[in-house]
Amino acid sequence: WFDPALHLLYALRGLRGTPLDVFGRTPHRRLERRLIGWYARLVGEVLARLSPATHAVAVEIATLPDQIRGYEQIKERNIEAARRRAAELLERLRAPAATAGAPAAVPLGGAPPAAQ
Protein backbone atom coordinates (compact mmCIF):
# COMPACT_ATOMS: atom_id res chain seq x y z
CA TRP A 1 0.00 0.00 0.00
CA PHE A 2 2.98 2.29 0.57
CA ASP A 3 4.20 2.30 -3.04
CA PRO A 4 1.14 4.05 -4.50
CA ALA A 5 1.30 6.73 -1.80
CA LEU A 6 4.96 7.43 -2.53
CA HIS A 7 4.29 7.55 -6.26
CA LEU A 8 1.49 10.05 -5.65
CA LEU A 9 3.78 12.28 -3.56
CA TYR A 10 6.42 12.05 -6.27
CA ALA A 11 3.90 13.01 -8.95
CA LEU A 12 2.75 16.02 -6.92
CA ARG A 13 6.27 17.36 -6.30
CA GLY A 14 5.61 20.18 -8.76
CA LEU A 15 3.20 21.68 -6.23
CA ARG A 16 5.95 22.30 -3.68
CA GLY A 17 6.28 25.95 -2.82
CA THR A 18 2.99 26.86 -4.50
CA PRO A 19 -0.27 27.84 -2.79
CA LEU A 20 -1.40 24.22 -3.31
CA ASP A 21 1.45 22.86 -1.17
CA VAL A 22 -0.50 21.62 1.87
CA PHE A 23 2.66 20.69 3.78
CA GLY A 24 4.15 24.13 3.23
CA ARG A 25 1.47 25.82 5.32
CA THR A 26 2.46 24.29 8.64
CA PRO A 27 3.92 26.67 11.24
CA HIS A 28 7.15 24.70 11.20
CA ARG A 29 7.61 25.09 7.42
CA ARG A 30 6.81 28.79 7.66
CA LEU A 31 9.48 29.13 10.34
CA GLU A 32 11.99 27.36 8.11
CA ARG A 33 11.24 29.76 5.25
CA ARG A 34 11.67 32.77 7.58
CA LEU A 35 15.07 31.41 8.57
CA ILE A 36 16.32 31.99 5.05
CA GLY A 37 15.70 35.74 5.35
CA TRP A 38 17.13 35.84 8.88
CA TYR A 39 20.33 34.18 7.73
CA ALA A 40 20.62 36.41 4.65
CA ARG A 41 20.35 39.53 6.84
CA LEU A 42 22.83 38.06 9.31
CA VAL A 43 25.39 37.34 6.60
CA GLY A 44 24.80 40.79 5.11
CA GLU A 45 25.76 42.44 8.38
CA VAL A 46 28.74 40.13 8.80
CA LEU A 47 30.03 40.98 5.33
CA ALA A 48 29.60 44.70 5.98
CA ARG A 49 31.77 44.41 9.10
CA LEU A 50 34.26 41.82 7.84
CA SER A 51 37.91 42.61 8.54
CA PRO A 52 40.93 40.67 9.74
CA ALA A 53 39.95 41.60 13.31
CA THR A 54 36.41 40.22 12.93
CA HIS A 55 37.23 37.17 10.81
CA ALA A 56 36.97 34.53 13.56
CA VAL A 57 33.60 35.83 14.77
CA ALA A 58 32.36 36.10 11.18
CA VAL A 59 33.26 32.48 10.50
CA GLU A 60 31.47 31.35 13.65
CA ILE A 61 28.35 33.29 12.65
CA ALA A 62 28.47 31.83 9.14
CA THR A 63 28.47 28.29 10.54
CA LEU A 64 25.42 28.78 12.80
CA PRO A 65 23.00 27.07 10.38
CA ASP A 66 25.01 23.86 10.80
CA GLN A 67 23.67 23.76 14.37
CA ILE A 68 20.04 23.79 13.23
CA ARG A 69 19.17 20.12 12.93
CA GLY A 70 16.45 17.74 13.95
CA TYR A 71 12.72 17.50 13.49
CA GLU A 72 9.97 19.75 14.81
CA GLN A 73 10.54 20.57 18.51
CA ILE A 74 14.21 19.57 18.45
CA LYS A 75 14.84 21.78 15.44
CA GLU A 76 12.91 24.64 17.03
CA ARG A 77 15.10 24.44 20.16
CA ASN A 78 18.18 24.46 17.94
CA ILE A 79 16.84 27.48 16.06
CA GLU A 80 16.40 29.39 19.31
CA ALA A 81 19.89 28.40 20.45
CA ALA A 82 21.35 29.55 17.11
CA ARG A 83 19.51 32.88 17.35
CA ARG A 84 20.79 33.45 20.89
CA ARG A 85 24.33 32.60 19.80
CA ALA A 86 23.98 34.89 16.77
CA ALA A 87 22.97 37.77 19.07
CA GLU A 88 26.02 37.16 21.28
CA LEU A 89 28.34 36.98 18.29
CA LEU A 90 26.83 40.07 16.67
CA GLU A 91 27.62 42.02 19.84
CA ARG A 92 31.24 40.94 19.51
CA LEU A 93 31.25 41.72 15.79
CA ARG A 94 29.83 45.20 16.33
CA ALA A 95 32.48 46.02 18.94
CA PRO A 96 35.73 44.60 17.49
CA ALA A 97 37.85 47.13 19.35
CA ALA A 98 36.66 45.67 22.65
CA THR A 99 37.81 42.20 21.58
CA ALA A 100 41.14 43.28 20.09
CA GLY A 101 43.88 41.27 21.68
CA ALA A 102 41.40 38.74 23.01
CA PRO A 103 42.14 35.07 22.48
CA ALA A 104 40.92 33.47 19.27
CA ALA A 105 37.32 32.34 19.26
CA VAL A 106 36.67 28.73 20.12
CA PRO A 107 34.76 27.01 17.31
CA LEU A 108 31.30 25.76 18.18
CA GLY A 109 31.65 22.30 19.63
CA GLY A 110 35.40 22.35 19.26
CA ALA A 111 38.49 22.80 21.33
CA PRO A 112 40.52 26.02 21.45
CA PRO A 113 43.24 26.33 18.81
CA ALA A 114 46.56 24.78 19.80
CA ALA A 115 49.26 27.13 21.03
CA GLN A 116 52.07 27.65 18.58
Side-chain angles (χ1 to χ4, degrees):
W1 76 269
F2 213 67
D3 247 8
L6 289 176
H7 286 291
L8 177 64
L9 285 175
Y10 180 76
L12 296 175
R13 72 186 183 280
L15 298 178
R16 292 180 194 156
T18 71
L20 298 175
D21 181 3
V22 294
F23 299 112
R25 294 185 198 148
T26 67
H28 189 73
R29 297 295 171 255
R30 290 177 185 172
L31 173 62
E32 287 177 334
R33 285 193 298 273
R34 284 194 307 271
L35 282 175
I36 297 168
W38 170 77
Y39 185 67
R41 288 186 300 277
L42 189 64
V43 169
E45 182 167 351
V46 168
L47 290 175
R49 298 174 184 275
L50 186 60
S51 72
T54 61
H55 181 264
V57 175
V59 169
E60 194 170 347
I61 290 172
T63 62
L64 284 174
D66 292 339
Q67 307 306 312
I68 301 174
R69 296 180 179 183
Y71 292 101
E72 305 298 328
Q73 292 86 4
I74 295 170
K75 185 177 234 176
E76 289 169 13
R77 281 194 304 267
N78 289 334
I79 289 168
E80 287 308 311
R83 285 183 171 169
R84 283 192 303 274
R85 185 67 181 143
E88 294 168 8
L89 292 169
L90 279 175
E91 284 182 29
R92 286 176 45 196
L93 185 75
R94 290 171 180 155
T99 59
V106 176
L108 285 177
Q116 305 228 351

